[in-house]
């Protein structure tokens, strides 16, 4: 056999392969067939040939043998029985055919070769082979091939019949069978030929309408006819159909019903090919009884419902605005739904065949849109109106109002406004809904409206100072800030504070202010309707224009001032040391303050007062009254032409000017002391005595005293002569015939004096002692009889003539 020749060639190839020698030899079964076994052994050193024998298992008698050369390590033993157990022995032989060594191995031959009874094709991709079983075979191998060698396959099968798959339709194949046991496979059986049948037409079905099915397929090679049968689901009747075309249109079918189409192709040998079955459902009928309802939960949408359509697996509802929803039941919701829109909805039924015709469109009007914008008008305090613009498709409106104290209110209206009572200082949250038969609109914008804060009550205004008004009031609801405003004819004073009190500073004096407290908040602004109060500020500060002492004897002072407020009363205060304060009142611009003591220092100020209060005191003007005149003043002659004037200290005086005045002359001295010496006095003359007491600021007091008569002049031409009987005769000259003089002659122990009658200018002094020095003074007498003290004395020495007075010598003045 050809297969044996192949094995022999292999053995020859392997026989020339050099193998490594060893001291022992091994042997194994390489492959088997039904009647042969190929052995493989190791090369033995020194062996010149090998002998292979086969004995039945458990028998020592060889039944076949074969010899091989020294370079062969693989060889075949033939003429064996199928499916038989053997013991194989390989002997290494020397030059004399003596056995050098041997090795044995047990083996089993393959089963006997099967015989194919029949090979036939029922399907386009397989051929079934029938054969009888072979003793000892555990399985079989089906060999399939084509004449041109383009296809070859071997597949194991457990037994007969065996089927070869993955073949080509309408193709000739050569088939053979081999039996298999644990040792190996048998030789192939005698080949047989068989052809596969035509492949089935692959139907492609569709349902163009809900009452027809269109079947199409690609042509099947070598097919001369196509057979189809149509079976309605749930029915046992078949509708056969033969055609040579590659498509069939099946009309007049029931909508939404499943149909199965089975068919095959026939070969020119009139043999049917594979069957192919496809099921197709017709399109569902158009949905009916469409109903639309607007819903707002969980989202705004249109609930679409319909009657069931036969065979429908799913439904789709579509709106004219582009929304769609699907459902396997009889309703779904189209979302989102916009407010205020008019929409049209159609429904289709869908199954595997496609879409049904759309239903008749149904129109629906959605709920209205919320009114916006909304706003609040408060034309009259406390009366508010929520207003809005008209909303298309709205039938009426509902307004919800909630105040910040938790009270809620609602009103329904077909008009475009809603009135409610709004209190000052409250916040309100408002929303407006529009309604129609589809329901209320979605929530619109929330409007937060805060009314103006309330006007403060019990506002008190008081003067904190001449230019500041202090205002206090009770806190009011809704006010975040208070603006206090004071307005007069010239300016506006503002004060902003969060506290319920404010001091308005830098106000104009003597002004009438309109004062108002304006409460404000950040949201609604300021309440400008609060009533103002009128308040007058205190008078302006008077300005003293003059302080003059008009009567030094009574120390009266006239104080004058200027002021813009003719209705004010004025108080002039002349303040000296502690307890020495003088006050006068006037409603004019001057006031006389009398009986101020001389020599005093005062501060003069004026205050204006009205019902609004008192002004700032005027700037203080210092006042100093004229000094007092000295209580006592004394004028005395020091010399014939010089006098000494003394006086007591005068209150308030710093310097003095003493004056002696007469037609024949004037004497004056300026001193800070309380005495003054004045010369250039003419003796025997009458003088007027005056004194000016001057303060440190120049204020003067004119003081006049009784006149001063200067003493008579000292006599001139005084001479001393010796008389008789120890007497001395004194003679002098006088300028006044009416003056009376006294002459005093003073010795060491006694003074001798004489006073002649007026008009006599000589005098005799007795009891003179010679030898002594005498002092002679001749002086006029004052009206009171006292002697003028300023006349100079003269020294004379008297000599003795015996015991009598001798010469009289003049020694000079003293």
């Amino acid at each position: 056999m050809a297969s044996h020749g192949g094995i022999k060639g292999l053995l020859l190839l392997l026989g020339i392969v050099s193998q490594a020698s060893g001291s022992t030899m091994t042997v194994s079964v390489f492959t088997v067939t039904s009647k042969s076994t190929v052995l493989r052994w190791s090369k033995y050193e020194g062996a010149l040939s090998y002998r292979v024998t086969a004995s039945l298992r458990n028998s020592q008698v060889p039944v076949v043998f074969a010899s091989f050369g020294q370079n062969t390590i693989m060889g075949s033993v033939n003429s064996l029985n199928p499916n038989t157990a053997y013991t194989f022995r390989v002997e290494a032989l020397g030059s004399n055919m003596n056995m050098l060594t041997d090795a044995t191995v047990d083996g089993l031959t393959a089963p006997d070769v099967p015989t194919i009874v029949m090979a036939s094709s029922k399907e386009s991709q397989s051929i079934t082979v029938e054969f009888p079983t072979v003793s000892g075979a555990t399985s079989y191998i089906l060999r399939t091939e084509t004449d041109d060698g383009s296809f070859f396959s071997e597949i194991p099968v457990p037994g007969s019949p065996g089927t070869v798959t993955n073949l080509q339709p309408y193709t000739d194949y050569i088939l053979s069978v081999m039996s298999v046991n644990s040792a190996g496979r048998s030789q192939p059986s005698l080949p047989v030929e068989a052809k596969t049948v035509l492949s089935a037409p692959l139907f492609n079905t569709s349902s163009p309408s809900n009452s027809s099915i269109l079947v199409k397929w690609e042509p099947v090679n070598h097919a001369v006819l196509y057979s189809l049968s149509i079976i309605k689901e749930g029915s046992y009747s078949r509708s056969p159909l033969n055609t040579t075309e590659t498509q069939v249109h099946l009309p007049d079918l029931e909508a939404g019903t499943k149909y199965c189409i089975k068919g095959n192709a026939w070969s020119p040998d009139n043999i049917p090919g594979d069957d192919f079955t496809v099921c197709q459902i017709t399109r569902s009928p158009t949905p009916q009884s469409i109903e639309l309802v607007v819903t707002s939960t969980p989202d705004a949408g249109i609930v679409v419902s319909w009657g069931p359509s036969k065979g429908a697996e799913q439904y789709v509802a579509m709106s004219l605005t582009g929304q769609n929803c699907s459902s396997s039941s009889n309703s779904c919701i189209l979302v989102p739904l916009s407010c205020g829109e008019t929409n049209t909805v159609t429904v289709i039924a869908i199954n595997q065949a496609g879409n049904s015709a759309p239903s008749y469109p149904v129109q629906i009007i959605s709920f209205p849109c919320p009114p916006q914008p909304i706003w609040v008008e408060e034309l009259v305090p406390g009366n508010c109106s929520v207003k809005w613009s008209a909303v298309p498709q709205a039938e009426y409106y509902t307004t919800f109002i909630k105040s910040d104290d938790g009270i809620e209110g609602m009103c329904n209206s077909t008009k475009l406004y809603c009135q409610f009572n709004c209190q000052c200082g409250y916040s309100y949250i408002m929303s407006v809904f529009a309604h129609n038969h589809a329901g209320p609109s979605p929530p619109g914008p929330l409007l937060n409206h805060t009314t103006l804060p309330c006007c403060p009550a019990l506002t008190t205004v008081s003067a904190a100072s001449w230019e500041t008004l202090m205002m206090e009031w009770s806190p009011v609801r809704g006010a975040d800030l208070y603006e206090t405003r004071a307005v007069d004819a010239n300016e506006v004073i503002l004060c902003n504070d969060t506290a319920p009190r404010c001091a308005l500073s830098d106000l104009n004096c003597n002004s009438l202010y309109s004062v108002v407290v304006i409460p404000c908040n950040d949201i609604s602004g300021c309440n400008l309707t609060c009533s103002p109060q009128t308040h007058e500020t205190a008078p302006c500060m008077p300005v003293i224009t003059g302080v003059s002492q008009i009567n030094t004897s009574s120390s009266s002072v006239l104080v004058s001032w200027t002021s813009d407020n003719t209705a004010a009363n004025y108080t002039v205060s002349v303040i000296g040391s502690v307890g020495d304060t003088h006050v006068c009142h006037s409603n004019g611009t001057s006031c006389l303050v009398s009986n101020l003591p001389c020599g005093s220092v005062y501060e003069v100020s004026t205050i204006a007062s009205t019902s609004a209060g008192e002004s700032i005191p005027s700037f203080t003007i210092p006042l100093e009254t004229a000094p007092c005149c000295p209580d006592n003043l004394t004028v005395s002659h020091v010399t014939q032409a010089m006098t000494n004037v003394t006086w007591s200290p005068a209150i308030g005086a710093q310097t003095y000017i003493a004056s002696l005045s007469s037609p024949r002359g004037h004497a004056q001295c300026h001193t800070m002391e309380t005495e003054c010496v004045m010369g250039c006095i003419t003796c025997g003359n009458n003088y007027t005595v005056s004194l000016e007491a001057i303060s440190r600021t120049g204020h003067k007091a004119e003081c006049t005293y009784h006149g001063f008569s200067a003493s008579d002049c000292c006599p001139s031409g005084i001479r001393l002569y010796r008389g008789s009987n120890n007497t001395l005769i004194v003679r002098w000259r006088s300028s006044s015939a009416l003056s009376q003089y006294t002459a005093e002659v003073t010795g060491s122990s006694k003074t001798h004096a004489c006073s002649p009658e007026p008009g006599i200018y000589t005098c005799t002094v007795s009891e003179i002692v010679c030898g002594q020095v005498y002092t002679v003074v001749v002086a006029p007498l004052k009206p009171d009889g006292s002697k003028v003290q300023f006349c100079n004395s003269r020294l004379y020495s008297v000599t003795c003539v015996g015991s009598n007075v001798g010469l009289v010598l003049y020694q000079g003045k003293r």
Side-chain angles (χ1 to χ4, degrees):
M1 296 179 69
S3 60
H4 290 172
I7 295 175
K8 289 180 179 179
L10 178 61
L11 293 176
L12 292 174
L13 178 63
L14 295 175
I16 63 174
V17 176
S18 176
Q19 299 289 329
S21 62
S23 60
T24 60
M25 186 175 62
T26 61
V27 63
S28 62
V29 176
F30 182 73
T31 186
V32 298
T33 66
S34 299
K35 294 184 178 182
S36 65
T37 299
V38 177
L39 300 176
R40 183 176 182 177
W41 60 88
S42 61
K43 187 175 182 179
Y44 188 77
E45 184 72 26
L48 299 178
S49 63
Y50 297 95
R51 180 172 55 195
V52 178
T53 59
S55 303
L56 293 175
R57 185 80 54 85
N58 301 322
S59 173
Q60 300 296 324
V61 180
V63 292
V64 294
F65 70 92
S67 296
F68 301 95
Q70 63 179 356
N71 293 323
T72 304
I73 59 173
M74 183 177 288
S76 174
V77 180
N78 301 318
S79 302
L80 301 177
N81 295 323
N83 194 36
T84 301
Y86 290 94
T87 299
F88 298 97
R89 182 180 182 186
V90 179
E91 296 172 297
L93 301 179
S95 58
N96 298 322
M97 300 297 289
N98 59 315
M99 184 182 70
L100 301 177
T101 186
D102 66 345
T104 62
V105 65
D106 291 336
L108 181 67
T109 56
D112 202 358
V113 177
T115 301
I116 295 177
V117 177
M118 184 181 67
S120 61
S121 174
K122 299 292 185 179
E123 297 178 352
S124 61
Q125 294 182 348
S126 66
I127 296 176
T128 300
V129 180
E130 296 182 12
F131 51 88
T133 60
V134 176
S135 176
T138 57
S139 64
Y140 301 89
I141 295 176
L142 296 181
R143 176 179 291 175
T144 307
E145 55 189 327
T146 57
D147 282 340
D148 58 2
S150 61
F151 179 82
F152 179 87
S153 75
E154 289 182 346
I155 62 171
V157 295
S160 179
T163 300
V164 181
T165 59
N166 298 322
L167 303 180
Q168 295 297 318
Y170 205 66
T171 303
D172 290 323
Y173 290 94
I174 298 173
L175 299 101
S176 58
V177 183
M178 293 173 284
S179 60
V180 180
N181 65 7
S182 60
R185 63 171 68 175
S186 71
Q187 291 82 3
S189 67
L190 294 176
V192 296
E193 292 186 358
K195 178 179 284 190
T196 53
V197 298
L198 293 175
S199 61
L202 300 179
F203 297 139
N204 185 7
T205 60
S206 63
S207 177
S209 68
N210 59 10
S211 61
S212 65
I213 293 175
L214 178 63
V215 185
K216 292 182 179 182
W217 61 91
E218 294 295 326
V220 178
N221 290 334
H222 309 290
V224 295
L225 182 70
Y226 300 98
S227 295
L228 286 78
S229 61
I230 297 91
I231 306 171
K232 177 183 176 182
E233 184 180 34
S235 173
Y236 296 99
S237 62
R238 296 173 177 263
S239 300
L241 176 66
N242 293 327
T243 181
T244 58
E245 303 296 330
T246 57
Q247 70 174 27
V248 173
H249 181 259
L250 306 176
D252 302 325
L253 303 180
E254 185 177 339
T257 302
K258 185 177 181 181
Y259 291 86
C260 291
I261 298 96
K262 182 179 181 181
N264 55 13
W266 291 77
S267 68
D269 304 324
N270 202 27
I271 297 175
D274 289 344
D275 291 337
F276 182 75
T277 302
V278 63
C279 294
Q280 174 68 49
I281 190 171
T282 54
R283 299 192 182 205
S284 298
T286 299
Q288 303 295 321
S289 304
I290 309 300
E291 294 184 0
L292 307 178
V293 177
V294 174
T295 182
S296 58
T297 55
D299 298 309
I302 302 173
V303 178
V304 187
S305 60
W306 53 85
S309 294
K310 183 179 180 181
E313 298 175 357
Q314 193 176 25
Y315 300 90
V316 175
M318 297 170 290
S319 70
L320 189 62
T321 55
Q323 290 90 357
N324 63 76
C325 64
S326 61
S327 174
S328 58
S329 62
N330 65 337
S331 67
C332 69
I333 301 177
L334 287 171
V335 291
L337 176 62
S338 299
C339 61
E341 73 177 24
T342 299
N343 217 334
T344 300
V345 179
T346 58
V347 181
I348 60 173
I350 303 174
N351 59 18
Q352 295 176 354
N355 301 344
S356 70
S359 66
Y360 185 81
V362 180
Q363 190 179 70
I364 188 171
I365 298 176
S366 72
F367 46 81
C369 293
Q372 56 180 334
I374 61 176
W375 65 93
V376 174
E377 292 182 359
E378 188 177 358
L379 299 179
V380 178
N383 189 2
C384 293
S385 293
V386 184
K387 294 188 175 183
W388 55 87
S389 300
V391 176
Q393 301 169 354
E395 297 174 1
Y396 67 97
Y397 303 90
T398 300
T399 303
F400 293 92
I401 303 168
K402 183 176 182 178
S403 63
D404 57 7
D405 59 357
I407 298 177
E408 298 181 358
M410 182 191 75
C411 74
N412 292 328
S413 175
T414 57
K415 299 178 181 179
L416 300 179
Y417 63 88
C418 175
Q419 292 182 337
F420 68 97
N421 183 25
C422 54
Q423 301 181 45
C424 60
Y426 278 78
S427 291
Y428 296 88
I429 297 177
M430 290 152 283
S431 60
V432 181
F433 293 81
H435 298 260
N436 63 12
H437 66 282
S441 67
L446 290 177
L447 177 62
N448 192 338
H449 177 72
T450 300
T451 56
L452 292 173
C454 301
C455 290
L458 303 175
T459 302
T460 59
V461 182
S462 59
S465 67
W466 297 285
E467 62 177 9
T468 301
L469 290 179
M470 177 62 72
M471 301 187 64
E472 296 188 41
W473 57 89
S474 300
V476 296
R477 181 181 178 88
D480 300 326
L481 178 74
Y482 299 96
E483 178 181 291
T484 308
R485 181 177 299 177
V487 181
D488 70 351
N490 300 317
E491 63 178 349
V492 177
I493 303 296
L494 296 177
C495 170
N496 292 333
D497 205 334
T498 57
R501 59 185 304 185
C502 185
L504 292 169
S505 303
D506 198 24
L507 301 179
N508 292 324
C509 59
N510 195 36
S511 297
L512 198 62
Y513 279 92
S514 176
V515 182
V516 63
V517 178
I518 302 174
C520 304
N521 59 40
D522 295 336
I523 300 174
S524 58
C526 299
N527 189 344
L528 302 178
T529 65
C530 300
S531 301
Q533 296 184 27
T534 300
H535 192 84
E536 183 180 5
T537 55
C540 296
M541 178 186 75
V543 177
I544 296 177
T545 59
V547 177
S548 58
Q549 188 169 345
I550 61 174
N551 189 336
T552 58
S553 62
S554 62
S555 296
S556 296
V557 175
L558 181 64
V559 181
S560 302
W561 60 85
T562 60
S563 176
D564 295 335
N565 195 330
T566 58
N569 293 318
Y570 298 89
T571 299
V572 177
S573 298
V574 180
I575 302 173
S577 58
V578 177
D580 185 16
T581 301
H582 302 266
V583 177
C584 73
H585 301 282
S586 173
N587 57 6
T589 58
S590 64
C591 188
L592 183 64
V593 181
S594 302
N595 300 321
L596 296 179
C598 60
S600 300
V601 177
Y602 293 93
E603 291 183 347
V604 181
S605 65
T606 304
I607 293 178
S609 62
T610 63
S611 59
E614 292 184 345
S615 70
I616 300 174
S618 67
F619 296 125
T620 299
I621 302 297
L623 169 64
E624 191 174 61
T625 58
C628 297
C629 289
D631 293 334
N632 300 307
L633 183 140
T634 302
V635 182
S636 60
H637 258 117
V638 177
T639 67
Q640 180 175 288
M642 185 173 64
T643 60
N644 186 19
V645 182
T646 61
W647 56 86
S648 59
I651 298 174
Q654 185 181 44
T655 60
Y656 304 92
I657 297 176
S659 299
L660 297 178
S661 301
S662 72
R664 296 179 63 184
H666 179 76
Q668 187 180 72
C669 75
H670 196 173
T671 182
M672 295 180 66
E673 305 299 329
T674 57
E675 63 178 349
C676 188
V677 176
M678 289 184 287
C680 303
I681 298 300
T682 302
C683 54
N685 194 19
N686 291 326
Y687 285 89
T688 299
V689 180
S690 63
L691 180 72
E692 288 185 5
I694 305 173
S695 70
R696 65 180 183 276
T697 58
H699 285 75
K700 297 179 180 180
E702 300 287 345
C703 306
T704 302
Y705 296 90
H706 56 81
F708 168 69
S709 295
S711 301
D712 289 337
C713 297
C714 291
S716 60
I718 298 174
R719 295 290 185 267
L720 186 61
Y721 299 100
R722 180 182 67 181
S724 59
N725 299 324
N726 290 326
T727 61
L728 290 177
I729 300 171
V730 182
R731 292 182 180 174
W732 61 87
R733 292 192 301 272
S734 175
S735 59
S736 175
L738 299 177
S739 297
Q740 185 180 5
Y741 297 90
T742 181
E744 291 180 353
V745 179
T746 303
S748 59
S749 59
K750 184 176 180 180
T751 297
H752 305 276
C754 66
S755 297
E757 294 295 327
I760 298 175
Y761 308 111
T762 181
C763 182
T764 299
V765 180
S766 60
E767 299 180 3
I768 297 299
V769 179
C770 66
Q772 292 189 7
V773 176
Y774 286 91
T775 300
V776 179
V777 177
V778 179
L781 294 176
K782 297 178 182 178
D784 60 359
S786 62
K787 181 185 71 171
V788 173
Q789 299 295 326
F790 54 77
C791 292
N792 292 327
S793 62
R794 296 169 181 265
L795 291 179
Y796 290 91
S797 61
V798 179
T799 63
C800 292
V801 178
S803 58
N804 295 322
V805 174
L807 294 174
V808 179
L809 300 176
Y810 175 63
Q811 293 185 349
K813 296 180 180 180
R814 294 293 184 267

